[in-house]
Amino acid sequence: MHSRRTVLTTAAAAAAAVAGGAKPAIGQQPPSPASAPVSAPAPSAATRARLRRLISRMTPEEKAGQLFVMRVYGHSATDPDPADAAANQQEIGVSNAAELIAKYHVGGIIYFGWAHNTREPHQIADLSNGIQKAAADQRVPVPLLISTDQEHGIVARVGAPATLFPGAMALGAGGSRDDAHTAARIAGAELYAMGIRQDYAPDADVNINPANPVIGVRSFGADPQAVARMVAAEVKGYQGAGIASCAKHFPGHGDTDTDSHIGLPYIHHTAEEWERLDAPPFKAAIAAGIDSIMTAHIVVPAFDPSEDPATLSRPILTGILRERLGYDGVVVTDSLGMEGVRKKYGDARVPVLALKAGVDQLLNPPDLAVAHAAVLKALQDGELTERELDAKLMRILLLKERRGLFKDPYTTHRAVDRVVGIRSHLAAADRIADRTTTLLRNDAGILPLSRRRERRVLVAGVDAAAPSGTGGPPTTVLARTLTELGFTATALSTGMAPTQRQIDEAVAALGERDAVVVATYNVTADSRQRKLVAALLATGKPVVQLAVRNPYDIARLDGVRAALASYSWTDVELRAAARVIAGRRDPAGRLPVAIMRADAPSQELYRIGHGLTY
């Protein structure tokens, strides 16, 4: 991997210089009164004094609770569906969000689709308002910081009719800081309208490992300087819309082949390699005024020989992030329910060690009662001091102040209707997507397909569930869009691991058609998707291969003469790919990662920046 890193990068330039250049975005301003400033001026002495008085009124139980950001099931803060109330009782010991706030005094709540928090925009706004009302009713009223993971692309918790943009690697392929800024500003304005004031985005990881199972297309790419530029643009876009941005996953999760959800990854970069490969995007985020940074559950032996994960490592979070990089904003853990942070210590020790390491917010512990009690015990035993907790609370409260939550934490249906999923936002998403599709190979000019020669098109391949829970399935979206563009297209889902029967069915279907578009998804050496593509190629009909997740598939698909990458299978990216296939748009994307040869992994098949046009 060392030689691979040498190929990919050069010495890092100053992050502040990298970060500049984003222009004002096209899009709506925040829908409710713009109480949160676009920039982040230093808080006044009067503000700090007011917040200190607020902290002084809190009991130790309330102070401990304010450090937690917790999941909760249900579409309503007070009246969730019975199944959601039961899930809350089982996992948290409360029935709803209002009871969670009253019992544990949590400082934040994170929304998930699987927790049934994000059915549709008006409901999300009502849930947010209910949560803030419950917070206002407490003995010491403190507004909650409501957050979600709305990275776009393959990670999106709020689906249509909200506007969904291309994900990070697609934006990296587009290469436009203006587009990244516009996407983040519009997305931030829509989240703001629904009462969500923090987005756990952008992903600041530099994905130099093609085998990375957890980051991949969530990263802007493999060039640290290019990633830094895009990260800075998105930070400015989100925070310009009035919401907190969060760069993740510090100190960098891009070079691992282990998923920290299920294991504990190791990053074997030297200190010098980290400076070149991983640090630039985080430095750029800090220079851009980032509100919060999320930790990674990864081991970096070069920085902490104890082999504690970064989330629990004082040398990494305090020594590097706070002291070396000079960051004094909010530090939030990645989910404490992930196995990467639970491998070495029990659930009662993890939150205490995280706070001692330099963390301010504890995200989504598996057992809140255990975690909350552990923080209180550490406070009582003197392992944590009240002064340390007060400093963490001050950072959190200053963030809430900066984002206007003390002034007006609420939203309205009118605000939702003015901003969320409006026509100009949807059009902007399509325009941005049109600049991301990458044409990797086009031997003999197979693309674009001709409505005269290849009018009848089969669309076969994978139908992964839409990441946002809306839209799709991919083959249907591609076929529908091609039909709208003048072709007669038919969808045939063959799955991630097509059986021989499904392969035979696809070959038979192609016999009655003029060409096939086959959607592939993370093709491996033993993937049955290779058999499907080989069988389609054997018919002699034109075959167009579209990688709908990681762009590396072409390295394992011998004989393919027309290949594209969309970097995700969300509707907006698939529609853009269909327009390129149909010749309605020229392919404009350039690879933000290198594709290595399957038979010689140290040699490039396509280098960073590769991309053909018509």
Side-chain angles (χ1 to χ4, degrees), residues 395-406:
R395 288 194 193 97
I396 295 167
L397 296 182
L398 284 171
L399 189 158
K400 293 180 179 183
E401 174 76 21
R402 196 157 57 244
R403 294 302 150 209
L405 286 164
F406 284 100

Side-chain angles (χ1 to χ4, degrees), residues 521-531 552-553 555-558 597-599 601:
Y521 182 108
N522 291 5
V523 175
T524 60
D526 57 355
S527 173
R528 289 194 57 83
Q529 294 177 66
R530 298 180 70 191
K531 295 182 180 297
Y552 312 111
D553 293 359
R556 297 193 180 277
L557 296 173
D558 298 334
R597 291 179 51 172
D599 59 345

Side-chain angles (χ1 to χ4, degrees), residues 437-614:
T437 305
T438 305
L439 179 59
L440 302 175
R441 182 176 294 170
N442 193 25
D443 299 348
I446 291 174
L447 286 170
L449 296 182
S450 164
R451 284 177 293 172
R452 184 176 66 257
R453 296 189 308 272
E454 295 107 10
R455 175 174 290 274
R456 299 171 301 171
V457 178
L458 174 68
V459 180
V462 298
D463 268 339
S468 64
T470 60
T475 58
T476 299
V477 174
L478 287 166
R480 181 172 61 242
T481 307
L482 287 170
T483 297
E484 291 169 354
L485 295 173
F487 294 84
T488 302
T490 306
L492 178 64
S493 177
T494 50
M496 296 281 190
T499 64
Q500 189 59 51
R501 180 177 177 179
Q502 289 173 315
I503 293 171
D504 292 343
E505 184 180 0
V507 169
L510 180 55
E512 301 173 1
R513 291 166 178 84
D514 305 312
V516 60
V517 176
V518 56
T520 62
Y521 182 108
N522 291 5
V523 175
T524 60
D526 57 355
S527 173
R528 289 194 57 83
Q529 294 177 66
R530 298 180 70 191
K531 295 182 180 297
L532 170 67
V533 173
L536 295 172
L537 287 168
T539 67
K541 298 285 183 74
V543 175
V544 177
Q545 177 259 331
L546 174 65
V548 299
R549 187 164 177 169
N550 291 332
Y552 312 111
D553 293 359
I554 185 61
R556 297 193 180 277
L557 296 173
D558 298 334
V560 169
R561 297 194 298 162
L564 306 105
S566 65
Y567 308 99
S568 180
W569 62 102
T570 54
D571 289 9
V572 69
E573 288 160 301
L574 293 174
R575 290 195 305 265
R579 289 191 287 271
V580 169
I581 291 168
R584 296 299 181 90
R585 296 288 186 274
D586 288 338
R590 299 291 181 268
L591 273 177
V593 294
I595 297 177
M596 312 308 286
R597 291 179 51 172
D599 59 345
S602 63
Q603 298 179 25
E604 290 181 333
L605 179 62
Y606 298 115
R607 64 182 55 207
I608 293 175
H610 171 78
L612 305 176
T613 58
Y614 294 151

Side-chain angles (χ1 to χ4, degrees), residues 16 105 138 154 160 205 226 236 312 334 337 439 536:
H105 321 290
Q138 301 310 301
I154 73 168
D205 301 310
K236 293 174 182 178
L312 311 181
D334 204 343
L439 179 59
L536 295 172

Side-chain angles (χ1 to χ4, degrees), residues 20-26 177-182 185 233 236-237:
K23 298 178 182 177
I26 300 168
R177 281 176 286 176
D178 287 353
D179 282 352
H181 186 271
T182 298
R185 187 175 181 88
K236 293 174 182 178

Side-chain angles (χ1 to χ4, degrees), residues 146-165:
I146 298 172
S147 59
T148 197
D149 292 291
Q150 191 78 352
E151 298 175 17
H152 294 270
I154 73 168
V155 177
R157 311 303 187 197
V158 181
T163 307
L164 294 170
F165 285 91

